Amino acid sequence: MSFCAFLGGEVFRSHFEPGIYVCAKCGYELFSSRAKYEHSSPWPAFTETIHEDSVAKRKERPAAYKVSCGKCGNGLGHEFLNDGPKRGQSRF
């Protein structure tokens, strides 16, 4: 499953089948469906990455990081600190 294609809407927002979400550009593993949860945003929401280096982060504002693929640098969106389903969790 590729992630963040942004062409004509996000097709994986309501998709909860077991699997791995990968970078749309290079295929690197980013997120597992086990870390996915329902959220009010228009994109899929995850609590954690598969690998420690799945994403690269650059601080954008106090509670958010700009996130890109850890392998090829493809833009993926944001990590929002303390916005996950449990207290203290992030939302990707």
Side-chain angles (χ1 to χ4, degrees):
M1 296 173 231
S2 63
F3 179 68
C4 282
F6 293 118
L7 300 174
E10 181 49 63
V11 297
F12 292 112
R13 180 182 183 273
S14 299
H15 184 271
F16 286 92
E17 296 297 318
I20 303 295
Y21 291 81
V22 302
C23 175
K25 186 173 180 180
C26 74
Y28 192 55
E29 294 178 332
L30 302 172
F31 305 100
S32 167
S33 59
R34 289 178 294 210
K36 190 169 191 253
Y37 68 99
E38 289 192 53
H39 190 270
S40 61
S41 71
W43 298 281
F46 302 89
T47 56
E48 61 188 9
T49 61
I50 288 185
H51 307 290
E52 191 172 310
D53 68 347
S54 288
V55 300
K57 304 174 189 181
R58 178 179 52 84
K59 193 159 193 152
E60 187 171 77
R61 53 186 184 262
Y65 287 89
K66 189 78 169 163
V67 177
S68 57
C69 174
K71 184 174 181 184
C72 73
N74 186 36
L76 301 173
H78 293 85
E79 175 185 6
F80 297 99
L81 306 177
N82 299 309
D83 192 37
K86 295 179 183 172
R87 185 181 194 102
Q89 281 187 321
S90 290
R91 171 176 58 92
F92 290 89

